[in-house]
Amino acid sequence: MNTDFRGLWLLAGAWAAAYFQPAPLVLLIVLLALGILLALLLRQRHDAAHSTPWFTGAIVLLLGALAVGFIGTQHRECALPESGEQQLRAVISFDDRAIKPKDGSLKGAATIESYWEQTGWVQCQVPIYLSVDYPLPAHTGSFETIVGLQPADAGTFAWWARATSEPKVVSEAQSNAADYLKQRFTLALKHLPENAQALLPGMLYGDRSGQDDALSEAMKTSGLSHLTAVSGSNIALIAAIILSLLRVFSIPRAPSAVLMIGAVALFTWFVGPDPSVLRASLMGSIAVLSLLAGRGQVSLGILSLSATILLMIDPGLGVEPAFALSVLATLGIIMLSPALTEIFLQFLPSWLAELTAICCAAQFTCLPVIVALNANFSLYSLPTNLVVGPLLPLITMVGMICLLLCTALPTVAQFLLWIPGLPAEFIGRTAQFSTQLPGAARPWPSGLPGILLAIFLATVLCTLIITGRETEHVRVRQVSLGLTGALLVFAAALVLPATLFYRVPVDSNWNIAMCDVGQGDALVINLGNHQGWLIDAGPPDSGVVQCLRRLNIDELPAVFITHSHADHFGGVPQLESSGIKIDRRVVSAGFELEKWPGAQLMESGSSETHGAVSYRVFGPDTSAAKRAEPNDTSLVMRFQFHRPSGNVDFFSAGDMEVDAMHQLLQRYPQSEAAVLKASHHGARNGGTEIIEKISPEVLLISDGKDNSYGHPHPETLRAAQEVGAKIFRTDQSGTVLLTFTEQSVRSSSLGSPVR
């Protein structure tokens, strides 16, 4: 083989030590093994003088592990008082601008700076993902609050956190020149379309705070979310522009290299210490020095050295998904794209073959990390990246020029911003369009088996592709290509079901449908003749329209929105534009009517009968709803299905929390009901009193798979088991249908929607 893999051995050892953080005893064993291998180098050699010993890779691997391992012993992270779910008072700061979804909360990466124990404040830097439902001043730096914490199984953050008390500002954020320039640039975007305003800051300097949940989810599902994270492409383009300018002025090689490295360092300071930026910046600087030293563009060695240096500086990067995705994507492009280009050139033009090869190479090597973060496979990731790929140089180059001009020449910058703005808008619409296609997010085997399968497929696939290119034996190359094709067919069989474009029709005799809309609510009461009552519409782009069409519902005599949170109301715009007929739009007391033109308030005590189904509203209390939290303004309704063999009751609790539900039950005592829709997706603050009072045969829980809130809570599940209720969850069963027979409630599942 012609490729020098020694750099990979070094990176593998360094990364393993950073990830596993070996104990001193393990490091001592590694040091002993290294000593044995080094001793073997001193023995009398019988091979050619220029040959490399077979154990050179092992030596380099152990050197990398020792270098990072010994440094890692000095970087042990502090820990919180408990390892499980807990609540404590802490001083916290957001790492960057927090995202502000439509529900008004603040969300984003944050750091616990210190927390209170019985003896006083403990200084401890702990990364968390924080949600704050209280207002914060614009320039808040750090703030004190009581925070609820749940362990994060994997990912960048150790904990999922939610502020449970109103924050008290401790310090204000100190703005610098970079912050001022970013603010000016954001203001200059106001005249652009919505997607362009949200995406351009992310594509130029990694600021995703302007993206709402719907756009972020669309970018993730379409495989385009990497475009809003600064990567090596930004660094390379900036370096290319600077190098071109320096050549125009005939600047010698050495000063040019110094100026390029300085410009890259300045850009890194401006963007912030994101793992991909650090990796790309260091790699670019080492590449420049390599060229000056006459070593040429040894890309694999440069990548390995730069990543190893970063791990030595901060061993914590070893568990950062962003760092892993950055390094693995670059590694795939370096190692696989030449071989894949040769394959694609047989049936594609050269420019398309190269672009396709780059996209595929990055997908192959990043697959294990993507699966670990989200057990879904983005089916349209490759075509969407091919469509938008040619637009990226234009967006980056002109966008950076506009960024520099937005302070000195704001009028010129606003005019020029249309050049990158329109392509950015196109990228956003491409992402949104692709999420509406069948199979946009296909499930992958979940848990550890799924991750191990992804590692196996990626490793074998990369080995076969590299072997097929590097070998000089025709027969070996043919076998490698054949096995590669077979492996791709096997992977496709995992994510492409036979029912992707065809589904078996649904019988019309069901009574209640709980649509799988992810982390949100959407329930349908079957009224017959293709009509239904809809209770909530799920979050934006949730697929509620897709669920209704699957159920053959084309008219909604009434749509009930229990309260204003986006996971219940967010799907209304898609519903309104779907062509499904809506007769009445009903909301609870406390809902702001201007959010939904044509909606009418429904007060406690209201009732209606439609054929063999009736309902009565028990909550919220109209006067209390005016000052209550949105969850406690939820419509609480009891539906009754009139059957010859007896009535069957269904109680829908919305998201009403424990105290408000207790008051409602005191005011309106409830008899038992066959079916209960759990309050607040089965969260702990939904309480268990309603389950104990209703004593349902069936408990419905609508929640998103692997949701960050920990829904449903174990206490909710335990309470349901104690009353003998059968539990149906959308994260486990997908869309659930309940059919009332003379003897019992019969259930069936339509599975997760093909999103």
Side-chain angles (χ1 to χ4, degrees):
M1 290 190 177
N2 301 318
T3 305
D4 187 351
F5 292 100
R6 286 175 295 181
L8 279 183
W9 285 106
L10 179 69
L11 175 58
W15 208 336
Y19 187 89
F20 293 106
Q21 298 183 356
L25 178 60
V26 176
L27 291 176
L28 186 62
I29 295 173
V30 172
L31 182 61
L32 179 62
L34 178 62
I36 294 173
L37 293 177
L38 290 175
L40 291 176
L41 288 177
L42 302 177
R43 78 190 196 287
Q44 184 177 359
R45 299 180 60 182
H46 302 286
D47 49 5
H50 64 275
S51 63
T52 302
W54 60 269
F55 49 83
T56 301
I59 291 177
V60 177
L61 183 143
L62 294 177
L63 282 172
L66 285 173
V68 174
F70 280 118
I71 293 174
T73 58
Q74 309 300 320
H75 289 78
R76 300 298 185 191
E77 294 184 357
C78 59
L80 295 180
E82 301 175 22
S83 58
E85 184 177 341
Q86 58 192 292
Q87 190 175 69
L88 48 79
R89 179 175 295 277
V91 175
I92 306 172
S93 62
F94 279 106
D95 295 345
D96 207 338
R97 290 179 60 188
I99 298 173
K100 191 172 184 179
K102 293 181 180 179
D103 62 7
S105 61
L106 291 172
K107 298 179 180 180
T111 300
I112 293 178
E113 298 177 356
S114 58
Y115 62 86
W116 177 263
E117 276 195 318
Q118 295 180 352
T119 56
W121 288 98
V122 177
Q123 301 299 317
C124 182
Q125 301 284 319
V126 179
I128 60 175
Y129 190 88
L130 177 66
S131 298
V132 180
D133 295 327
Y134 302 90
L136 273 176
H139 300 289
T140 299
S142 58
F143 54 91
E144 180 182 328
T145 183
I146 296 175
V147 62
L149 296 149
Q150 289 186 336
D153 295 333
T156 303
F157 313 103
W159 301 86
W160 300 109
R162 180 176 291 273
T164 59
S165 69
E166 187 166 354
K168 175 184 176 183
V169 177
V170 175
S171 65
E172 293 188 354
Q174 301 298 318
S175 299
N176 54 27
D179 296 325
Y180 176 75
L181 188 57
K182 292 175 183 177
Q183 292 171 8
R184 295 286 299 181
F185 183 73
T186 302
L187 291 175
L189 298 173
K190 295 299 182 183
H191 64 292
L192 295 180
E194 185 177 352
N195 287 333
Q197 293 183 42
L199 294 177
L200 274 178
M203 299 180 76
L204 296 179
Y205 49 84
D207 181 4
R208 302 181 181 180
S209 60
Q211 299 179 32
D212 58 22
D213 289 341
L215 181 58
S216 297
E217 187 63 28
M219 294 292 287
K220 182 191 299 183
T221 302
S222 61
L224 297 177
S225 60
H226 65 93
L227 299 182
T228 52
V230 176
S231 63
S233 60
N234 302 75
I235 302 291
L237 190 54
I238 291 171
I241 295 172
I242 295 172
L243 183 59
S244 300
L245 291 174
L246 293 174
R247 285 179 176 174
V248 169
F249 294 101
S250 302
I251 305 297
R253 176 183 290 186
S256 295
V258 174
L259 290 173
M260 283 179 60
I261 293 174
V264 168
L266 185 63
F267 179 75
T268 305
W269 165 80
F270 174 76
V271 172
D274 188 82
S276 63
V277 180
L278 292 173
R279 189 269 311 157
S281 301
L282 185 57
M283 183 174 176
S285 301
I286 294 176
V288 172
L289 297 175
S290 179
L291 287 171
L292 283 176
R295 290 282 298 168
Q297 297 178 346
V298 190
S299 300
L300 183 59
I302 294 171
L303 170 66
S304 302
L305 180 59
S306 61
T308 301
I309 292 174
L310 287 175
L311 290 170
M312 292 176 66
I313 295 173
D314 182 8
L317 291 175
V319 296
E320 285 274 4
F323 177 81
L325 290 170
S326 175
V327 173
L328 291 176
T330 307
L331 179 64
I333 293 170
I334 292 172
M335 297 292 296
L336 304 181
S337 59
L340 291 173
T341 301
E342 292 180 4
I343 296 173
F344 294 139
L345 278 173
Q346 298 178 27
F347 49 87
L348 292 176
S350 58
W351 67 271
L352 185 56
E354 292 178 2
L355 191 58
T356 306
I358 289 172
C359 293
C360 289
Q363 290 275 344
F364 291 159
T365 50
C366 292
L367 180 62
V369 181
I370 294 172
V371 169
L373 294 176
N374 181 21
N376 283 324
F377 184 84
S378 183
L379 188 60
Y380 301 107
S381 175
L382 178 59
T384 53
N385 276 276
L386 291 175
V387 169
V388 306
L391 302 174
L392 301 183
L394 175 67
I395 293 174
T396 303
M397 183 168 59
V398 182
M400 293 304 299
I401 293 173
C402 294
L403 181 63
L404 297 174
L405 293 177
C406 66
T407 299
L409 299 170
T411 305
V412 176
Q414 287 183 359
F415 176 76
L416 290 177
L417 273 170
W418 283 101
I419 300 175
L422 292 177
E425 176 70 16
F426 173 76
I427 289 174
R429 296 198 176 194
T430 300
Q432 292 162 344
F433 172 76
S434 68
T435 60
Q436 302 300 318
L437 297 174
R442 294 303 309 145
W444 185 272
S446 60
L448 183 60
I451 296 174
L452 294 177
L453 177 61
I455 293 173
F456 170 77
L457 289 176
T459 303
V460 175
L461 193 59
C462 294
T463 302
L464 290 173
I465 292 173
I466 294 171
T467 301
R469 183 173 186 266
E470 296 280 340
T471 185
E472 297 178 357
H473 301 284
V474 176
R475 183 61 177 169
V476 174
R477 175 172 295 188
Q478 292 174 341
V479 171
S480 298
L481 290 176
L483 291 175
T484 301
L487 200 63
L488 290 174
V489 170
F490 171 72
L494 284 175
V495 298
L496 292 177
T499 58
L500 179 58
F501 298 103
Y502 173 77
R503 290 294 184 96
V504 177
V506 177
D507 291 334
S508 60
N509 60 346
W510 56 273
N511 296 103
I512 300 174
M514 178 172 62
C515 293
D516 181 2
V517 290
Q519 184 62 25
D521 273 0
L523 292 100
V524 188
I525 306 295
N526 189 2
L527 302 177
N529 298 319
H530 306 291
Q531 295 181 334
W533 283 334
L534 176 64
I535 310 167
D536 288 323
D541 300 319
S542 60
V544 63
V545 173
Q546 179 184 354
C547 181
L548 290 170
R549 298 203 187 285
R550 181 93 168 88
L551 298 170
N552 298 313
I553 298 294
D554 50 31
E555 183 177 349
L556 297 169
V559 175
F560 305 92
I561 299 299
T562 59
H563 62 293
S564 59
H565 277 167
D567 57 337
H568 297 252
F569 179 66
V572 165
Q574 289 76 32
L575 182 64
E576 291 281 12
S577 61
S578 66
I580 296 175
K581 183 181 177 182
I582 302 175
D583 295 336
R584 287 194 303 137
R585 297 158 177 81
V586 181
V587 297
S588 69
F591 192 97
E592 298 175 9
L593 290 177
E594 59 269 19
K595 289 184 176 181
W596 195 14
Q600 61 187 66
L601 294 178
M602 178 169 283
E603 297 185 353
S604 177
S606 301
S607 62
E608 181 183 352
T609 299
H610 190 293
V613 186
S614 62
Y615 70 79
R616 184 183 177 191
V617 179
F618 290 98
D621 179 74
T622 303
S623 58
K626 296 177 181 179
R627 57 183 182 274
E629 293 292 330
N631 282 346
D632 290 339
T633 67
S634 292
L635 277 177
V636 177
M637 308 174 69
R638 189 177 184 114
F639 295 85
Q640 196 165 69
F641 296 80
H642 306 287
R643 316 281 295 178
S645 57
N647 296 334
V648 180
D649 285 11
F650 163 49
F651 193 91
S652 174
D655 273 5
M656 188 167 282
E657 298 186 12
V658 58
D659 292 337
M661 182 60 73
H662 175 73
Q663 295 175 14
L664 183 145
L665 293 175
Q666 291 291 315
R667 191 163 56 250
Y668 302 109
Q670 297 293 319
S671 59
E672 293 184 356
V675 183
L676 170 65
K677 201 287 294 185
S679 179
H680 202 192
H681 319 287
R684 187 178 191 177
N685 61 11
T688 59
E689 182 182 6
I690 183 63
I691 299 175
E692 295 161 359
K693 296 288 186 182
I694 293 291
S695 188
E697 297 176 33
V698 173
L699 180 68
L700 299 177
I701 301 178
S702 182
D703 58 344
K705 188 174 183 179
D706 301 323
N707 65 83
S708 60
Y709 304 99
H711 298 161
H713 195 274
E715 287 184 9
T716 303
L717 301 178
R718 187 160 48 248
Q721 291 168 353
E722 288 175 356
V723 300
K726 189 172 183 179
I727 302 170
F728 292 100
R729 299 165 47 176
T730 54
D731 63 332
Q732 295 180 346
S733 303
T735 296
V736 175
L737 302 181
L738 298 182
T739 304
F740 303 142
T741 66
E742 293 185 2
Q743 293 80 21
S744 63
V745 178
R746 183 165 54 85
S747 64
S748 60
S749 171
L750 300 182
S752 298
V754 182
R755 293 194 175 100

